[in-house]
Each structure stands twice: as structure tokens, then as C-alpha cells.
Amino acid sequence: MNCSDLLRLCLFGCLLLPPGGWCAETAPTADRHPGPACLRADDFFTDEVWTKVGARTCLECHKVGGDAEDSKFILQDPKRDPDPASGGFLRQNRAAFVKMAALHKEGKSRLLVKATGGLSHGGDDVLKPDSTGYRILAEFVRRLEAPEGAPAPPAVVKETANFFDGIAMLDNRRLLRRATLSLAGRLPTPEELATVDQRGLPAFQPVLDGVMKEPAFYDRLAEAFNDIFLITGFTGLPDQVIFSYENFRGTRNWEQTYDVSSAGDEAAQRRARNVLYEVFRDASRREPLELIKYIVRENHPFTEIVTADFIMESPYTARAYGNFEEVKGRFQNPEDPFEFIPVRLAALTSPNRGFVQHSETGFYPHAGLLTTFQYLRRYPTTETNRNRLRGRMFYQQFLGVDVLELAARVKDAAAVTAKFEIPTMQASECVVCHRTLDPVAGLFQDFYAIEGVFGPRKDGWYKDMFGAGFEGEDLPAEQKWRALQWLGERTVKDPRFASTMVEHVYYILTGRRALLPPKAIDDPLFDAKQRAYAAQHAEIERIASRFVQAKFNLKTAFQEWIVSPFYRADGLSTAAANPQRLTELGDLGLARMLGPEQLERKLTAVFGTSWGKLTKQTALLYGGIDAKEVTERATDPSGAMGALQRTMANEVAGKNVSLDFALAAGERRLFPGLEPEVQPGQSPESDLRLRQTMAHLHELVLGRYDAVDSPEVTRTFELFASILADAAERKGKNEFEPYARAIAGGPRLPDPTYTIRAWRGVLTYLLRQRDFLYE
């Protein structure tokens, strides 16, 4: 009996075995097939059939909730496998392909007939007969139908070397500096350095535990998640659009009647009220980000980002919500506009329209970020959009799915519109996206009022859309009043949620999005790109598993990524000339230009004070975002950025060199124990002291541990000496260092030998280095 015959006999038995089926090696002895492991997800199926065909062209329709969910060919998304390491979903998918391949129509496998549009395939021809994808399926069928004793097909050649072979890793001291600067905007302490020196990578978890308790970490967290969710970029004045007239008519303008008489005369009171108003607006913008900070600070499960049954209020926003008197006793300082506490809002009312929000608990049905007014305002709806933007952003931000990538663009929209009465529910090229997107859009249906955020559509929800639900599960009618809570509960049980949160942390640490699976299977570098994706995805799944085991504590994801080789990679230790290998390593390592906020924090960490000029419009010029019109940080430097870097280096060096030399020798940060009179060539001892100071600056400014006789320190030494040599040839030099007085109003130090100005040149040079400007 050959494998094909065995498959036909086994189809109705094997496929009803435990999830994923048994293969010949793992089944109980009495149940093992005498033939090959027909149901195992072998390498050819995994690397060729599934990766290049199934996942790309079949899965989106042939799944529960997909356009072809009523067919007999149903697949499982491995990204939703609760135990991805077991490969259970892949085994089930192979079994489905095997079953389809074993059925024939006029002597040809139904798998091949269907793929080319035969037998009334609802998706039309997804593969051309001469395409690479079709040839892969044909080879899969051939292997299944090969008679017993036939020559074995050539094995899929797989790269067996460790993915990180030939990659140099950061030493622990430099890794700790990278981590503390990234997370808390400071340099590591001597105690932290000593700990990692003694214990190595295992020491990072307790050290990072301490770092992630610092206020600076939570400021960084809010900044980073605003990059992801873009919450602060909503349109309109916060006091007007967050606290709508519809629901907060009597309280939203509380600052207009607030007692500011202590400020002085009428003009002073007007100024005080303007300040009050601006601070109130700032506090209201921060609320969703304060929710994220609270969840992480209190070590709550990060699932609360979509399930928390509260919002964060400050004393100022509580006044606007109208519940200040109720909660003021919970604030440590009821006059601190930026102290935030968790609060449950009462169900909303609309005196103007005469309705009270239906709630079986009496409270607003909070669902983490999803129901915050800021998030709803950031992603508003219209009569034509119908909450689809909200649905799309939900999938992208919380499940890592770009709905727009689920199917190719419709080639002839006019023809589709003419052919179908409701294209989004009938045309296959439309349904593939809308069957996923529209049910989630429907879950937002009670948050439809344009002015008031909350409020159902006057004419009821649309009938020409798929009904409210999630991934094939319909929303029960009795859950409608808490539809987004219902959605949040299902979201956090989806394995894609944990993976997506881990990917967000990767983005925060590296400034790069996680890799996507390559699409062009005919690309000669496809296998290399796929290996890079698979290696990174395996690490994401590993960290996601640790994240779940830690009860969704987000700090775990930070700790795991920081000690991961993907974050520690620091370059090639051996040459890699092979284009395949170079492609594999193309996204490895960390080499991103620091954003304006990060650069200011690094300057503060190194010098004790920031430059203070990379703010507002200048920050945008330097690659920052406003979360509204500019939503992606620039990753490549422009001419304007280069000019800002030069200006920063000149001004920071000019200010800090003089200020440091004005301190007592033992108090100096930059030049400890060194006097300006020390010059090159005075003696071997003086040259050594200069080199030691330069090595110290390399460590402080660049994070490099260069030896005093290293080429890098020698280059800096020669720069210092050449500046002094040039100065010696000049006549009429000013004997005082003038720069600090002009820039910082600091001391004007005597500089008859020009050494202070030479040190300024050295520091300017270091501040222009890649090791300082990049991470």
C-alpha cells in the first residue's frame, strides 16, 4: 500500500485524532501508521507549502470568520496558536492540505484544481499554472502520491548554522549603558556596573527592575507609546472635544469660574487663568498615557490596556468630568494638575437629548484605551468610514494585523460596484478584508456621535455591513451595552496580543518595527529574508511566552529583549560576503539616530544639563513627531539635522568645557584632576595624563572603553595637539576664553596657552561622533 492509498484510508480517522493529529513517531504504539508520518508538518510543507502558498494566499479566506469559512478546507493561523512551540496548528494545516490533495476531479488533485480557479472556487484563480506557488503545490501532491519504494524527493536544504554565528555582542558594561540611557535617560551607576561585571547577564534582571521604578522610565514609556498609538494627535482643543458639550456641559469650562483672586489685579488674574487653562489642556491630553504608566508602575497585567474598567483623572480633569468632590480625598495634592488616580466614570447622560447611557452597572463601560475619549477622538468616524478606521487601528495596534494588507487592491472598483449590490459583503476581493474589519467596526457603534463621542447613530447601525463581532464570533445582543469590554476580553486571549505587545517593546528599544514575512517568493533572496523573519519571529514568540508566564507584566518584555542577542548584537566579528548572509543580517543590531527627546536626555546624563533647544518646531526638524501630521520619526539624517548637530556640538562644548574647568579639580565631571596648563610634549607624564583624560571622555561621552594607547585615543590626542599647534602660529590671540561668557554667562577663564579652547575642539569632535548621536 503506497502513501496515497494510505491517506485515502486514513482521512476520516487520522483527522479526527487529537488536535494536530498523531504522526508515526508520536502516536501510541497501537495507533501508529505503518507508513510515513503523513500528518507531521514536515520541512517541505512548513518551508515551502505553508510559508510560500498557504499563509500568503489561502489562510485569509479559509479560516473561521473568513470568506470561505463554510468550505471544507479550513486552516488555522499559526500566529493564534496558544502553544506555537508545539506546531499544532501547522500540523492541522498540513492535514487539511493532505485531505484536499487526496481528493481528485477527473484524475487531478482537487488542491491543484481549486488553486487555479476550478470547481467554482470562490476566490477565483489564486495561482497561475506556471507560477512558483502552483509548482510548489504540484510537488507537494507528487510527494504524497509517490508509490512506495520510489526514490525519495530531494530534501529541502535548510541553513543549519546558528543565526548569530559571526556576530559580535556588546560587552555587559556597554549593554548596561545602552539600557539605562534608553529606559531612564541616565548613565549606569558604579554599583550597577559592578553588579553586571560580577554576575554577567543574569544580573540584568534585578538591575533593570530598579531602573524601571524610576520616574524617568515612566516618562519614556509615555513618550514611546504615544509614538505607537499617536493619542495626543487628536484634532481640536482638549477641553472642547474630550469633555463634550453633550455630556459635560455644566463642568467642562470649570477653569473660567475658578478662584484666582490671589494672583493679584485683573491683568494678573487673566494671566493666571490662561496658565490654568493651558495646564488643564495638557493634563487632559495625558490621561491615556497615564493609564499605561499606571498599569506598568503597579505591575498590573498589561492586558488592562484594553480591559481596564477605569480611566486616569487629575484634580483638573476631575473638575471637568464633574466628579472632583467625590474623588478629591484620594489625591495627595488636590491642586497638583499632574497627579493622576484611577476613577470609574458614571454612565453618561445627555440632558440635551434626554438620554442616559444604558449600563447594567451604572458605570461607563470602560475598556482601557479603547473607550477613552482621547483615543476615540484620535480615530474619529464619519458616515462613510463607519468606524472602519477604528477597527483598522485596533487590529494594527493590538493584534499586529494590517488589514489593508489582507488582500490586493481592487483593480476595477467601478466594475465591482456595478456587479454587486453590496460589494463589501459580496465581492470576494472586498469581503476578504471587510469580513474581518466590519464586525469590529460594529463593536464601536455606540461611540458614533461626532460631537459627543458616545452616542449611537440616529438611524441605527448599518445593515449593509457584517454584524458586530470578532474573528467569526458574533456579539450577543445582551452584550451590546458593553461591546468594547467584550472585545477587550477576547483580544487579550488571542495569542497575537502578547506577540504584538512584545513587538511594541522591540520598537521602543530599537526604533524599528518587527520584520514582516517576505512576499515575493520568486525573489532570489526570499529564503534569506524568510530566515531573518523566522529567527526574529521565534524570539518574539519566546519573549511573548515569558510575558504571558509573568502575568503580562510588561517589564518582563523589556528585560528579555535587552539580554536578547537581537538587542546585544554589535556588528560582524567575521566578514560576511555572501549576499544571502548579508540579507539575513540586514535588520540586526542597533544603529538608529537618537530622537530629539533622547538626545536631550543623553546630554543631561553626560553633562548634567540639557541643550534645551530640541523642542517644539526644532524637535520636528530633528526628526520628532507631533502625533498628528508628523507620525513617523525620521531615521535618516537630513541637511537640517546635520546643521543642528553642528550647532549643538559647538554650543554644548563651549558651555561645558569652561564651566567644568571653573570647578575645583576634584569636582569636575569632564576633566577630573587635570589643569588647563597641561600640554602635549611637556613630558611623558603629561602626555599620559592627557591620554587618560581623553580615554575618560571617550567613556563618558561615547560609551567606549578605549585604552590610552588605542588608535581612537591617539586620534583625539593628535587633534588636541594640532589645535594647539595652529594656535601657536596665530598672532593677537585673546588670552581669555570668550565662548562660555557668550553662550552660558559663565566664567571667562584665562586661557593664555589656548588649551581650554583646544579642549572645546576635542569635545565638539566627540559630540559629532556616531557613537554619541546614534544608539
Side-chain angles (χ1 to χ4, degrees), residues 599-619:
L599 184 55
E600 289 282 14
R601 287 194 291 267
K602 190 171 188 177
L603 288 167
T604 302
V606 172
F607 298 105
T609 181
S610 68
W611 184 34
K613 295 187 178 181
L614 290 175
T615 59
K616 299 181 180 179
Q617 293 301 315
T618 307

Side-chain angles (χ1 to χ4, degrees), residues 12 35 45 115 303 345 349 351 358 409 463 483 499 539 614 624 733:
F12 297 103
F45 177 79
T303 52
L345 288 178
T349 61
H358 173 61
R409 298 290 188 273
K463 302 299 183 184
S499 298
E539 184 71 346
L614 290 175
K733 296 189 299 291

Side-chain angles (χ1 to χ4, degrees), residues 170 175-185 208 211-212 217 220-221 223-225 227-228 501-514 539 543 554-564 566-569 589-595 598 601 774-775:
L170 279 179
L175 177 62
L176 182 61
R177 175 187 167 105
R178 174 184 285 181
T180 57
L181 279 171
S182 178
L183 297 182
L208 293 176
V211 173
M212 289 188 286
F217 168 68
R220 171 72 179 119
L221 199 66
E223 172 190 288
F225 273 101
D227 280 12
I228 294 167
M501 298 306 109
V502 167
E503 290 177 0
H504 287 338
V505 174
Y506 177 80
Y507 172 73
I508 291 170
L509 290 172
T510 67
R512 295 198 302 275
R513 306 288 180 182
E539 184 71 346
I543 296 175
L554 193 71
K555 294 176 182 177
T556 300
F558 280 99
Q559 292 166 337
E560 292 292 328
W561 271 123
I562 285 171
V563 298
S564 163
F566 283 90
Y567 188 71
R568 293 189 291 121
L590 186 58
R592 64 162 166 175
M593 189 178 69
L594 294 172
Q598 290 176 295
R601 287 194 291 267
Y774 282 72
E775 182 180 28

Side-chain angles (χ1 to χ4, degrees), residues 17 54 201 308 313 334 484 501 503 510 522 539 558 572 710 724:
L17 292 177
L201 285 179
E313 290 186 6
L484 293 181
M501 298 306 109
E503 290 177 0
T510 67
D522 293 316
E539 184 71 346
F558 280 99
L572 295 173
S710 66
L724 290 176

